Amino acid sequence: MNPQFKKGVLELCVLVLVKQKDQYGYELAQNLTNQIAIAEGSLYPLLRRMTKDQYLRTYTAKSSEGPPRKYYQLSDLGEKYMEELISEWNVFQGSVNNLIKEATEG
């Protein structure tokens, strides 16, 4: 998949996954990679920025498999932002699909 496509939608994907349940970084990377091939190194800077922008909150929890883990949780601001991005995505996707349909059926 085109790297620019992934870069543009990665933020939305993170918000949607964290809304489903709080996740730690590696878990989130795995869940993203199940759907979209991403470099793990591109995720952590995004998580830091989204935390700084207050779309995500973090907390630390004990792990039975090693040191404590930093979990990411969707904030109220993050939920509102996610809803805006979903709306924008739906409009964008519909427009692109219409262009494709017109080009391939014409």
Side-chain angles (χ1 to χ4, degrees):
M1 179 184 288
N2 183 309
Q4 291 301 324
F5 289 170
K6 288 188 273 188
K7 184 178 180 185
V9 77
L10 188 56
E11 188 174 50
L12 175 57
C13 293
V14 166
L15 291 168
V16 168
L17 286 171
V18 173
K19 180 177 174 47
Q20 291 175 347
K21 75 177 190 99
D22 298 357
Q23 298 185 47
Y24 58 95
Y26 181 74
E27 175 184 26
L28 189 52
Q30 293 300 307
N31 288 330
L32 280 166
T33 304
N34 288 340
Q35 301 295 323
I36 304 168
I38 63 157
E40 207 173 304
S42 63
L43 177 62
Y44 290 100
L46 176 63
L47 290 172
R48 279 192 295 278
R49 184 180 58 76
M50 292 175 75
T51 302
K52 181 179 172 251
D53 292 343
Q54 300 180 353
Y55 299 138
L56 300 174
R57 292 187 292 259
T58 62
Y59 63 91
T60 304
K62 290 183 180 178
S63 169
S64 60
E65 301 172 10
R69 293 179 172 153
K70 181 196 281 189
Y71 281 82
Y72 295 88
Q73 180 180 55
L74 191 63
S75 69
D76 291 341
L77 183 62
E79 187 155 1
K80 288 177 187 171
Y81 182 56
M82 180 194 70
E83 290 168 3
E84 290 172 17
L85 288 179
I86 289 171
S87 178
E88 290 174 10
W89 171 257
N90 287 332
V91 169
F92 177 74
Q93 179 184 2
S95 298
V96 170
N97 286 339
N98 285 337
L99 286 171
I100 292 169
K101 184 178 178 181
E102 289 172 8
T104 57
E105 291 179 356

